[in-house]
Amino acid sequence: KLYYEPMSPSAQAPLLLLQIAEVPWNGLQWAEQRNRTDAEYRKLNPHRSLPTLVDVSHGGVVVFESAAILKYVVRVFDLPAHWYPQHELAARARIDAFLDFHATQLRDGWLVAVNALMLDADT
């Protein structure tokens, strides 16, 4: 199960990987779920962030944060090395650098833009 918000850039990479690599999954869009402060969700993800993956095919392992979900899915579902090379350290370092850049730079800018658009829509 993947808990996600469809408009979130953090959810896009895990969603695309699951779809393109044809990994079986069930999506639970955030709009269909209870508030992130719900005690049940807090047990899954103490940060209360999205996305969160619950891997029911492997004993209910819970993984949160986009980059961690991507790496987990590649390893657990034994996806081809072009997704996340295990032995090509230079290629893996480039992927890790992009994932870190996305998490620390791009996502925040996206949130500012979306919030500004939503505020304009309310006026």
Side-chain angles (χ1 to χ4, degrees):
K1 292 188 223 178
L2 183 69
Y3 294 83
Y4 68 100
E5 167 53 52
M7 293 296 294
S8 167
S10 300
Q12 297 307 310
L15 283 169
L16 287 170
L17 177 64
L18 291 169
Q19 291 170 354
I20 293 169
E22 299 178 351
V23 173
W25 66 286
N26 290 320
L28 299 169
Q29 289 188 22
W30 194 247
E32 299 170 4
Q33 300 306 309
R34 288 180 244 158
N35 191 307
R36 281 190 244 180
T37 59
D38 178 78
E40 185 178 324
Y41 188 74
R42 287 168 82 180
K43 287 179 188 175
L44 295 176
N45 182 341
H47 298 282
R48 296 177 277 176
S49 61
L50 293 170
T52 297
L53 176 75
V54 179
D55 184 358
V56 294
S57 65
H58 290 91
V61 171
V62 177
V63 185
F64 45 89
E65 295 299 325
S66 289
I69 292 170
L70 293 170
K71 294 171 188 179
Y72 176 85
V73 167
V74 168
R75 291 177 183 136
V76 168
F77 293 96
D78 198 28
L79 298 183
H82 67 266
W83 290 108
Y84 190 69
Q86 294 302 310
H87 303 292
E88 298 172 41
L89 297 181
R92 190 167 68 189
R94 285 192 302 275
I95 293 169
D96 287 340
F98 178 78
L99 292 173
D100 291 346
F101 179 75
H102 176 268
T104 60
Q105 303 296 318
L106 295 179
R107 183 169 41 193
D108 290 343
W110 179 88
L111 290 173
V112 169
V114 167
N115 285 333
L117 290 172
M118 290 177 81
L119 288 174
D120 282 347
D122 290 340
T123 58

